[in-house]
PDB file of all heavy atoms in Angstrom:
ATOM      1  N   GLN A   1       6.500  -8.538 -24.640  1.00 90.00           N
ATOM      2  CA  GLN A   1       7.245  -9.798 -24.697  1.00 90.00           C
ATOM      3  C   GLN A   1       8.624  -9.595 -25.320  1.00 90.00           C
ATOM      4  O   GLN A   1       8.860  -8.624 -26.022  1.00 90.00           O
ATOM      5  CB  GLN A   1       6.450 -10.836 -25.487  1.00 90.00           C
ATOM      6  CG  GLN A   1       5.108 -11.164 -24.844  1.00 90.00           C
ATOM      7  CD  GLN A   1       4.442 -12.358 -25.494  1.00 90.00           C
ATOM      8  OE1 GLN A   1       5.114 -13.247 -26.049  1.00 90.00           O
ATOM      9  NE2 GLN A   1       3.115 -12.409 -25.448  1.00 90.00           N
ATOM     10  N   TYR A   2       9.516 -10.526 -24.983  1.00 89.00           N
ATOM     11  CA  TYR A   2      10.902 -10.474 -25.462  1.00 89.00           C
ATOM     12  C   TYR A   2      11.526  -9.116 -25.126  1.00 89.00           C
ATOM     13  O   TYR A   2      12.249  -8.528 -25.929  1.00 89.00           O
ATOM     14  CB  TYR A   2      10.977 -10.725 -26.974  1.00 89.00           C
ATOM     15  CG  TYR A   2      10.306 -12.006 -27.398  1.00 89.00           C
ATOM     16  CD1 TYR A   2       9.075 -11.995 -28.026  1.00 89.00           C
ATOM     17  CD2 TYR A   2      10.915 -13.235 -27.138  1.00 89.00           C
ATOM     18  CE1 TYR A   2       8.451 -13.164 -28.396  1.00 89.00           C
ATOM     19  CE2 TYR A   2      10.291 -14.418 -27.511  1.00 89.00           C
ATOM     20  CZ  TYR A   2       9.063 -14.377 -28.142  1.00 89.00           C
ATOM     21  OH  TYR A   2       8.443 -15.546 -28.515  1.00 89.00           O
ATOM     22  N   ASP A   3      11.227  -8.646 -23.923  1.00 89.00           N
ATOM     23  CA  ASP A   3      11.730  -7.339 -23.505  1.00 89.00           C
ATOM     24  C   ASP A   3      13.044  -7.508 -22.767  1.00 89.00           C
ATOM     25  O   ASP A   3      13.280  -8.532 -22.119  1.00 89.00           O
ATOM     26  CB  ASP A   3      10.701  -6.640 -22.610  1.00 89.00           C
ATOM     27  CG  ASP A   3      10.709  -5.143 -22.790  1.00 89.00           C
ATOM     28  OD1 ASP A   3      11.611  -4.659 -23.498  1.00 89.00           O
ATOM     29  OD2 ASP A   3       9.840  -4.457 -22.247  1.00 89.00           O
ATOM     30  N   MET A   4      13.892  -6.472 -22.820  1.00 86.00           N
ATOM     31  CA  MET A   4      15.211  -6.561 -22.200  1.00 86.00           C
ATOM     32  C   MET A   4      15.477  -5.360 -21.299  1.00 86.00           C
ATOM     33  O   MET A   4      16.615  -4.937 -21.134  1.00 86.00           O
ATOM     34  CB  MET A   4      16.290  -6.662 -23.280  1.00 86.00           C
ATOM     35  CG  MET A   4      16.089  -7.827 -24.237  1.00 86.00           C
ATOM     36  SD  MET A   4      17.354  -7.948 -25.515  1.00 86.00           S
ATOM     37  CE  MET A   4      18.769  -8.433 -24.550  1.00 86.00           C
ATOM     38  N   VAL A   5      14.404  -4.788 -20.740  1.00 90.00           N
ATOM     39  CA  VAL A   5      14.554  -3.631 -19.864  1.00 90.00           C
ATOM     40  C   VAL A   5      13.853  -3.918 -18.542  1.00 90.00           C
ATOM     41  O   VAL A   5      13.069  -4.859 -18.421  1.00 90.00           O
ATOM     42  CB  VAL A   5      13.964  -2.347 -20.506  1.00 90.00           C
ATOM     43  CG1 VAL A   5      14.695  -2.019 -21.793  1.00 90.00           C
ATOM     44  CG2 VAL A   5      12.463  -2.514 -20.763  1.00 90.00           C
ATOM     45  N   ALA A   6      14.147  -3.077 -17.545  1.00 87.00           N
ATOM     46  CA  ALA A   6      13.548  -3.258 -16.221  1.00 87.00           C
ATOM     47  C   ALA A   6      12.095  -2.798 -16.222  1.00 87.00           C
ATOM     48  O   ALA A   6      11.730  -1.848 -16.907  1.00 87.00           O
ATOM     49  CB  ALA A   6      14.347  -2.454 -15.185  1.00 87.00           C
ATOM     50  N   HIS A   7      11.274  -3.490 -15.428  1.00 89.00           N
ATOM     51  CA  HIS A   7       9.862  -3.144 -15.337  1.00 89.00           C
ATOM     52  C   HIS A   7       9.407  -3.108 -13.879  1.00 89.00           C
ATOM     53  O   HIS A   7       9.922  -3.836 -13.026  1.00 89.00           O
ATOM     54  CB  HIS A   7       8.997  -4.147 -16.092  1.00 89.00           C
ATOM     55  CG  HIS A   7       9.076  -4.018 -17.574  1.00 89.00           C
ATOM     56  ND1 HIS A   7       8.588  -2.924 -18.250  1.00 89.00           N
ATOM     57  CD2 HIS A   7       9.607  -4.834 -18.523  1.00 89.00           C
ATOM     58  CE1 HIS A   7       8.797  -3.074 -19.542  1.00 89.00           C
ATOM     59  NE2 HIS A   7       9.427  -4.220 -19.735  1.00 89.00           N
ATOM     60  N   GLY A   8       8.418  -2.252 -13.619  1.00 89.00           N
ATOM     61  CA  GLY A   8       7.741  -2.222 -12.336  1.00 89.00           C
ATOM     62  C   GLY A   8       6.317  -2.708 -12.513  1.00 89.00           C
ATOM     63  O   GLY A   8       5.894  -3.061 -13.613  1.00 89.00           O
ATOM     64  N   ASN A   9       5.568  -2.714 -11.389  1.00 90.00           N
ATOM     65  CA  ASN A   9       4.188  -3.186 -11.419  1.00 90.00           C
ATOM     66  C   ASN A   9       3.298  -2.112 -10.829  1.00 90.00           C
ATOM     67  O   ASN A   9       3.333  -1.859  -9.621  1.00 90.00           O
ATOM     68  CB  ASN A   9       4.061  -4.498 -10.638  1.00 90.00           C
ATOM     69  CG  ASN A   9       2.716  -5.166 -10.861  1.00 90.00           C
ATOM     70  OD1 ASN A   9       1.692  -4.504 -10.999  1.00 90.00           O
ATOM     71  ND2 ASN A   9       2.709  -6.489 -10.877  1.00 90.00           N
ATOM     72  N   ILE A  10       2.490  -1.458 -11.655  1.00 91.00           N
ATOM     73  CA  ILE A  10       1.655  -0.361 -11.179  1.00 91.00           C
ATOM     74  C   ILE A  10       0.603  -0.863 -10.204  1.00 91.00           C
ATOM     75  O   ILE A  10       0.183  -0.123  -9.289  1.00 91.00           O
ATOM     76  CB  ILE A  10       0.993   0.364 -12.380  1.00 91.00           C
ATOM     77  CG1 ILE A  10       0.379   1.685 -11.931  1.00 91.00           C
ATOM     78  CG2 ILE A  10      -0.016  -0.527 -13.042  1.00 91.00           C
ATOM     79  CD1 ILE A  10       1.364   2.696 -11.427  1.00 91.00           C
ATOM     80  N   THR A  11       0.164  -2.129 -10.337  1.00 93.00           N
ATOM     81  CA  THR A  11      -0.814  -2.684  -9.393  1.00 93.00           C
ATOM     82  C   THR A  11      -0.239  -2.724  -7.986  1.00 93.00           C
ATOM     83  O   THR A  11      -0.937  -2.430  -7.003  1.00 93.00           O
ATOM     84  CB  THR A  11      -1.239  -4.103  -9.834  1.00 93.00           C
ATOM     85  OG1 THR A  11      -1.776  -4.041 -11.150  1.00 93.00           O
ATOM     86  CG2 THR A  11      -2.294  -4.671  -8.894  1.00 93.00           C
ATOM     87  N   ASN A  12       1.043  -3.084  -7.886  1.00 91.00           N
ATOM     88  CA  ASN A  12       1.689  -3.105  -6.568  1.00 91.00           C
ATOM     89  C   ASN A  12       1.737  -1.715  -5.945  1.00 91.00           C
ATOM     90  O   ASN A  12       1.642  -1.573  -4.721  1.00 91.00           O
ATOM     91  CB  ASN A  12       3.107  -3.666  -6.687  1.00 91.00           C
ATOM     92  CG  ASN A  12       3.121  -5.149  -6.991  1.00 91.00           C
ATOM     93  OD1 ASN A  12       2.114  -5.831  -6.811  1.00 91.00           O
ATOM     94  ND2 ASN A  12       4.242  -5.656  -7.463  1.00 91.00           N
ATOM     95  N   ILE A  13       1.881  -0.691  -6.777  1.00 92.00           N
ATOM     96  CA  ILE A  13       1.907   0.677  -6.269  1.00 92.00           C
ATOM     97  C   ILE A  13       0.571   1.024  -5.624  1.00 92.00           C
ATOM     98  O   ILE A  13       0.515   1.592  -4.532  1.00 92.00           O
ATOM     99  CB  ILE A  13       2.227   1.673  -7.405  1.00 92.00           C
ATOM    100  CG1 ILE A  13       3.605   1.382  -8.008  1.00 92.00           C
ATOM    101  CG2 ILE A  13       2.158   3.106  -6.896  1.00 92.00           C
ATOM    102  CD1 ILE A  13       4.737   1.472  -7.026  1.00 92.00           C
ATOM    103  N   TYR A  14      -0.524   0.663  -6.300  1.00 94.00           N
ATOM    104  CA  TYR A  14      -1.853   0.928  -5.738  1.00 94.00           C
ATOM    105  C   TYR A  14      -2.049   0.156  -4.429  1.00 94.00           C
ATOM    106  O   TYR A  14      -2.598   0.685  -3.458  1.00 94.00           O
ATOM    107  CB  TYR A  14      -2.937   0.528  -6.740  1.00 94.00           C
ATOM    108  CG  TYR A  14      -2.946   1.367  -7.992  1.00 94.00           C
ATOM    109  CD1 TYR A  14      -3.109   0.790  -9.250  1.00 94.00           C
ATOM    110  CD2 TYR A  14      -2.784   2.750  -7.941  1.00 94.00           C
ATOM    111  CE1 TYR A  14      -3.117   1.555 -10.405  1.00 94.00           C
ATOM    112  CE2 TYR A  14      -2.788   3.520  -9.095  1.00 94.00           C
ATOM    113  CZ  TYR A  14      -2.953   2.918 -10.318  1.00 94.00           C
ATOM    114  OH  TYR A  14      -2.945   3.688 -11.453  1.00 94.00           O
ATOM    115  N   ILE A  15      -1.611  -1.098  -4.415  1.00 94.00           N
ATOM    116  CA  ILE A  15      -1.765  -1.925  -3.216  1.00 94.00           C
ATOM    117  C   ILE A  15      -0.980  -1.336  -2.053  1.00 94.00           C
ATOM    118  O   ILE A  15      -1.481  -1.248  -0.921  1.00 94.00           O
ATOM    119  CB  ILE A  15      -1.314  -3.370  -3.501  1.00 94.00           C
ATOM    120  CG1 ILE A  15      -2.281  -4.035  -4.485  1.00 94.00           C
ATOM    121  CG2 ILE A  15      -1.228  -4.181  -2.209  1.00 94.00           C
ATOM    122  CD1 ILE A  15      -1.838  -5.408  -4.949  1.00 94.00           C
ATOM    123  N   LEU A  16       0.257  -0.911  -2.322  1.00 92.00           N
ATOM    124  CA  LEU A  16       1.083  -0.335  -1.253  1.00 92.00           C
ATOM    125  C   LEU A  16       0.500   0.972  -0.748  1.00 92.00           C
ATOM    126  O   LEU A  16       0.607   1.293   0.441  1.00 92.00           O
ATOM    127  CB  LEU A  16       2.515  -0.128  -1.759  1.00 92.00           C
ATOM    128  CG  LEU A  16       3.318  -1.407  -2.014  1.00 92.00           C
ATOM    129  CD1 LEU A  16       4.670  -1.071  -2.604  1.00 92.00           C
ATOM    130  CD2 LEU A  16       3.488  -2.193  -0.725  1.00 92.00           C
ATOM    131  N   GLY A  17      -0.122   1.758  -1.637  1.00 91.00           N
ATOM    132  CA  GLY A  17      -0.790   2.980  -1.196  1.00 91.00           C
ATOM    133  C   GLY A  17      -1.928   2.676  -0.245  1.00 91.00           C
ATOM    134  O   GLY A  17      -2.111   3.361   0.780  1.00 91.00           O
ATOM    135  N   ILE A  18      -2.700   1.628  -0.560  1.00 94.00           N
ATOM    136  CA  ILE A  18      -3.792   1.218   0.321  1.00 94.00           C
ATOM    137  C   ILE A  18      -3.248   0.707   1.654  1.00 94.00           C
ATOM    138  O   ILE A  18      -3.798   0.990   2.716  1.00 94.00           O
ATOM    139  CB  ILE A  18      -4.651   0.144  -0.373  1.00 94.00           C
ATOM    140  CG1 ILE A  18      -5.358   0.751  -1.591  1.00 94.00           C
ATOM    141  CG2 ILE A  18      -5.671  -0.453   0.591  1.00 94.00           C
ATOM    142  CD1 ILE A  18      -6.067  -0.277  -2.457  1.00 94.00           C
ATOM    143  N   VAL A  19      -2.147  -0.038   1.586  1.00 93.00           N
ATOM    144  CA  VAL A  19      -1.517  -0.550   2.817  1.00 93.00           C
ATOM    145  C   VAL A  19      -1.081   0.608   3.713  1.00 93.00           C
ATOM    146  O   VAL A  19      -1.262   0.564   4.936  1.00 93.00           O
ATOM    147  CB  VAL A  19      -0.314  -1.451   2.470  1.00 93.00           C
ATOM    148  CG1 VAL A  19       0.528  -1.746   3.714  1.00 93.00           C
ATOM    149  CG2 VAL A  19      -0.799  -2.750   1.836  1.00 93.00           C
ATOM    150  N   ALA A  20      -0.502   1.652   3.121  1.00 90.00           N
ATOM    151  CA  ALA A  20      -0.055   2.811   3.903  1.00 90.00           C
ATOM    152  C   ALA A  20      -1.236   3.466   4.621  1.00 90.00           C
ATOM    153  O   ALA A  20      -1.143   3.815   5.808  1.00 90.00           O
ATOM    154  CB  ALA A  20       0.634   3.824   2.988  1.00 90.00           C
ATOM    155  N   LEU A  21      -2.351   3.625   3.912  1.00 89.00           N
ATOM    156  CA  LEU A  21      -3.542   4.215   4.536  1.00 89.00           C
ATOM    157  C   LEU A  21      -4.085   3.306   5.635  1.00 89.00           C
ATOM    158  O   LEU A  21      -4.541   3.786   6.689  1.00 89.00           O
ATOM    159  CB  LEU A  21      -4.618   4.460   3.478  1.00 89.00           C
ATOM    160  CG  LEU A  21      -4.314   5.557   2.452  1.00 89.00           C
ATOM    161  CD1 LEU A  21      -5.414   5.617   1.392  1.00 89.00           C
ATOM    162  CD2 LEU A  21      -4.172   6.916   3.144  1.00 89.00           C
ATOM    163  N   ALA A  22      -4.028   1.980   5.404  1.00 92.00           N
ATOM    164  CA  ALA A  22      -4.504   1.034   6.416  1.00 92.00           C
ATOM    165  C   ALA A  22      -3.658   1.107   7.684  1.00 92.00           C
ATOM    166  O   ALA A  22      -4.182   1.048   8.811  1.00 92.00           O
ATOM    167  CB  ALA A  22      -4.492  -0.385   5.848  1.00 92.00           C
ATOM    168  N   ILE A  23      -2.345   1.247   7.510  1.00 90.00           N
ATOM    169  CA  ILE A  23      -1.454   1.358   8.679  1.00 90.00           C
ATOM    170  C   ILE A  23      -1.780   2.609   9.479  1.00 90.00           C
ATOM    171  O   ILE A  23      -1.836   2.582  10.718  1.00 90.00           O
ATOM    172  CB  ILE A  23       0.017   1.360   8.220  1.00 90.00           C
ATOM    173  CG1 ILE A  23       0.403  -0.016   7.676  1.00 90.00           C
ATOM    174  CG2 ILE A  23       0.944   1.759   9.363  1.00 90.00           C
ATOM    175  CD1 ILE A  23       1.770  -0.048   7.026  1.00 90.00           C
ATOM    176  N   LEU A  24      -1.998   3.720   8.776  1.00 87.00           N
ATOM    177  CA  LEU A  24      -2.371   4.963   9.465  1.00 87.00           C
ATOM    178  C   LEU A  24      -3.698   4.807  10.203  1.00 87.00           C
ATOM    179  O   LEU A  24      -3.865   5.292  11.320  1.00 87.00           O
ATOM    180  CB  LEU A  24      -2.478   6.109   8.459  1.00 87.00           C
ATOM    181  CG  LEU A  24      -1.212   6.902   8.156  1.00 87.00           C
ATOM    182  CD1 LEU A  24      -1.531   8.050   7.223  1.00 87.00           C
ATOM    183  CD2 LEU A  24      -0.579   7.431   9.426  1.00 87.00           C
ATOM    184  N   PHE A  25      -4.643   4.126   9.574  1.00 88.00           N
ATOM    185  CA  PHE A  25      -5.950   3.929  10.204  1.00 88.00           C
ATOM    186  C   PHE A  25      -5.818   3.089  11.470  1.00 88.00           C
ATOM    187  O   PHE A  25      -6.434   3.395  12.500  1.00 88.00           O
ATOM    188  CB  PHE A  25      -6.902   3.241   9.222  1.00 88.00           C
ATOM    189  CG  PHE A  25      -8.242   2.900   9.830  1.00 88.00           C
ATOM    190  CD1 PHE A  25      -9.206   3.879   9.991  1.00 88.00           C
ATOM    191  CD2 PHE A  25      -8.518   1.600  10.245  1.00 88.00           C
ATOM    192  CE1 PHE A  25     -10.432   3.578  10.561  1.00 88.00           C
ATOM    193  CE2 PHE A  25      -9.740   1.284  10.807  1.00 88.00           C
ATOM    194  CZ  PHE A  25     -10.704   2.281  10.968  1.00 88.00           C
ATOM    195  N   ILE A  26      -5.016   2.023  11.415  1.00 89.00           N
ATOM    196  CA  ILE A  26      -4.823   1.166  12.587  1.00 89.00           C
ATOM    197  C   ILE A  26      -4.181   1.949  13.729  1.00 89.00           C
ATOM    198  O   ILE A  26      -4.596   1.850  14.892  1.00 89.00           O
ATOM    199  CB  ILE A  26      -3.973  -0.065  12.223  1.00 89.00           C
ATOM    200  CG1 ILE A  26      -4.757  -0.973  11.259  1.00 89.00           C
ATOM    201  CG2 ILE A  26      -3.557  -0.838  13.466  1.00 89.00           C
ATOM    202  CD1 ILE A  26      -3.936  -2.089  10.663  1.00 89.00           C
ATOM    203  N   ALA A  27      -3.132   2.729  13.396  1.00 86.00           N
ATOM    204  CA  ALA A  27      -2.478   3.544  14.434  1.00 86.00           C
ATOM    205  C   ALA A  27      -3.461   4.555  15.024  1.00 86.00           C
ATOM    206  O   ALA A  27      -3.485   4.781  16.247  1.00 86.00           O
ATOM    207  CB  ALA A  27      -1.269   4.256  13.841  1.00 86.00           C
ATOM    208  N   SER A  28      -4.285   5.167  14.174  1.00 85.00           N
ATOM    209  CA  SER A  28      -5.265   6.137  14.649  1.00 85.00           C
ATOM    210  C   SER A  28      -6.338   5.465  15.491  1.00 85.00           C
ATOM    211  O   SER A  28      -6.775   6.005  16.514  1.00 85.00           O
ATOM    212  CB  SER A  28      -5.922   6.853  13.454  1.00 85.00           C
ATOM    213  OG  SER A  28      -4.957   7.538  12.685  1.00 85.00           O
ATOM    214  N   PHE A  29      -6.766   4.268  15.082  1.00 86.00           N
ATOM    215  CA  PHE A  29      -7.793   3.531  15.822  1.00 86.00           C
ATOM    216  C   PHE A  29      -7.298   3.178  17.227  1.00 86.00           C
ATOM    217  O   PHE A  29      -8.034   3.302  18.213  1.00 86.00           O
ATOM    218  CB  PHE A  29      -8.160   2.266  15.049  1.00 86.00           C
ATOM    219  CG  PHE A  29      -9.257   1.460  15.669  1.00 86.00           C
ATOM    220  CD1 PHE A  29     -10.576   1.881  15.587  1.00 86.00           C
ATOM    221  CD2 PHE A  29      -8.973   0.280  16.342  1.00 86.00           C
ATOM    222  CE1 PHE A  29     -11.602   1.146  16.169  1.00 86.00           C
ATOM    223  CE2 PHE A  29      -9.980  -0.458  16.929  1.00 86.00           C
ATOM    224  CZ  PHE A  29     -11.303  -0.035  16.840  1.00 86.00           C
ATOM    225  N   ASN A  30      -6.032   2.738  17.306  1.00 84.00           N
ATOM    226  CA  ASN A  30      -5.460   2.433  18.627  1.00 84.00           C
ATOM    227  C   ASN A  30      -5.398   3.676  19.506  1.00 84.00           C
ATOM    228  O   ASN A  30      -5.663   3.615  20.714  1.00 84.00           O
ATOM    229  CB  ASN A  30      -4.064   1.824  18.460  1.00 84.00           C
ATOM    230  CG  ASN A  30      -4.103   0.430  17.881  1.00 84.00           C
ATOM    231  OD1 ASN A  30      -5.107  -0.260  17.978  1.00 84.00           O
ATOM    232  ND2 ASN A  30      -3.012   0.020  17.249  1.00 84.00           N
ATOM    233  N   TYR A  31      -5.052   4.796  18.878  1.00 81.00           N
ATOM    234  CA  TYR A  31      -4.973   6.052  19.639  1.00 81.00           C
ATOM    235  C   TYR A  31      -6.353   6.454  20.159  1.00 81.00           C
ATOM    236  O   TYR A  31      -6.499   6.889  21.300  1.00 81.00           O
ATOM    237  CB  TYR A  31      -4.408   7.154  18.751  1.00 81.00           C
ATOM    238  CG  TYR A  31      -4.338   8.507  19.430  1.00 81.00           C
ATOM    239  CD1 TYR A  31      -3.307   8.799  20.313  1.00 81.00           C
ATOM    240  CD2 TYR A  31      -5.308   9.477  19.198  1.00 81.00           C
ATOM    241  CE1 TYR A  31      -3.243  10.029  20.948  1.00 81.00           C
ATOM    242  CE2 TYR A  31      -5.252  10.709  19.823  1.00 81.00           C
ATOM    243  CZ  TYR A  31      -4.213  10.981  20.694  1.00 81.00           C
ATOM    244  OH  TYR A  31      -4.155  12.195  21.330  1.00 81.00           O
ATOM    245  N   VAL A  32      -7.361   6.322  19.309  1.00 80.00           N
ATOM    246  CA  VAL A  32      -8.728   6.658  19.731  1.00 80.00           C
ATOM    247  C   VAL A  32      -9.149   5.784  20.902  1.00 80.00           C
ATOM    248  O   VAL A  32      -9.725   6.265  21.897  1.00 80.00           O
ATOM    249  CB  VAL A  32      -9.708   6.503  18.551  1.00 80.00           C
ATOM    250  CG1 VAL A  32     -11.160   6.611  19.036  1.00 80.00           C
ATOM    251  CG2 VAL A  32      -9.442   7.563  17.496  1.00 80.00           C
ATOM    252  N   ASN A  33      -8.873   4.483  20.840  1.00 79.00           N
ATOM    253  CA  ASN A  33      -9.240   3.578  21.936  1.00 79.00           C
ATOM    254  C   ASN A  33      -8.571   3.964  23.247  1.00 79.00           C
ATOM    255  O   ASN A  33      -9.203   3.995  24.311  1.00 79.00           O
ATOM    256  CB  ASN A  33      -8.872   2.138  21.564  1.00 79.00           C
ATOM    257  CG  ASN A  33      -9.858   1.516  20.601  1.00 79.00           C
ATOM    258  OD1 ASN A  33     -10.990   1.986  20.478  1.00 79.00           O
ATOM    259  ND2 ASN A  33      -9.445   0.469  19.908  1.00 79.00           N
ATOM    260  N   LEU A  34      -7.268   4.258  23.163  1.00 76.00           N
ATOM    261  CA  LEU A  34      -6.546   4.654  24.373  1.00 76.00           C
ATOM    262  C   LEU A  34      -7.044   5.991  24.907  1.00 76.00           C
ATOM    263  O   LEU A  34      -7.148   6.195  26.127  1.00 76.00           O
ATOM    264  CB  LEU A  34      -5.038   4.728  24.080  1.00 76.00           C
ATOM    265  CG  LEU A  34      -4.305   3.382  23.984  1.00 76.00           C
ATOM    266  CD1 LEU A  34      -2.881   3.603  23.493  1.00 76.00           C
ATOM    267  CD2 LEU A  34      -4.290   2.676  25.331  1.00 76.00           C
ATOM    268  N   SER A  35      -7.363   6.898  24.016  1.00 73.00           N
ATOM    269  CA  SER A  35      -7.852   8.213  24.429  1.00 73.00           C
ATOM    270  C   SER A  35      -9.208   8.114  25.125  1.00 73.00           C
ATOM    271  O   SER A  35      -9.471   8.798  26.111  1.00 73.00           O
ATOM    272  CB  SER A  35      -7.960   9.149  23.222  1.00 73.00           C
ATOM    273  OG  SER A  35      -6.696   9.361  22.650  1.00 73.00           O
TER     274      SER A  35
END
């Protein structure tokens, strides 16, 4: 509290990592279906 510096959110980092894996899975799933 009463902080005067920049901060990030580590929870968002974990969420974005999961999103990246989900995007890869979707692209791979579409490729498997077409194949």
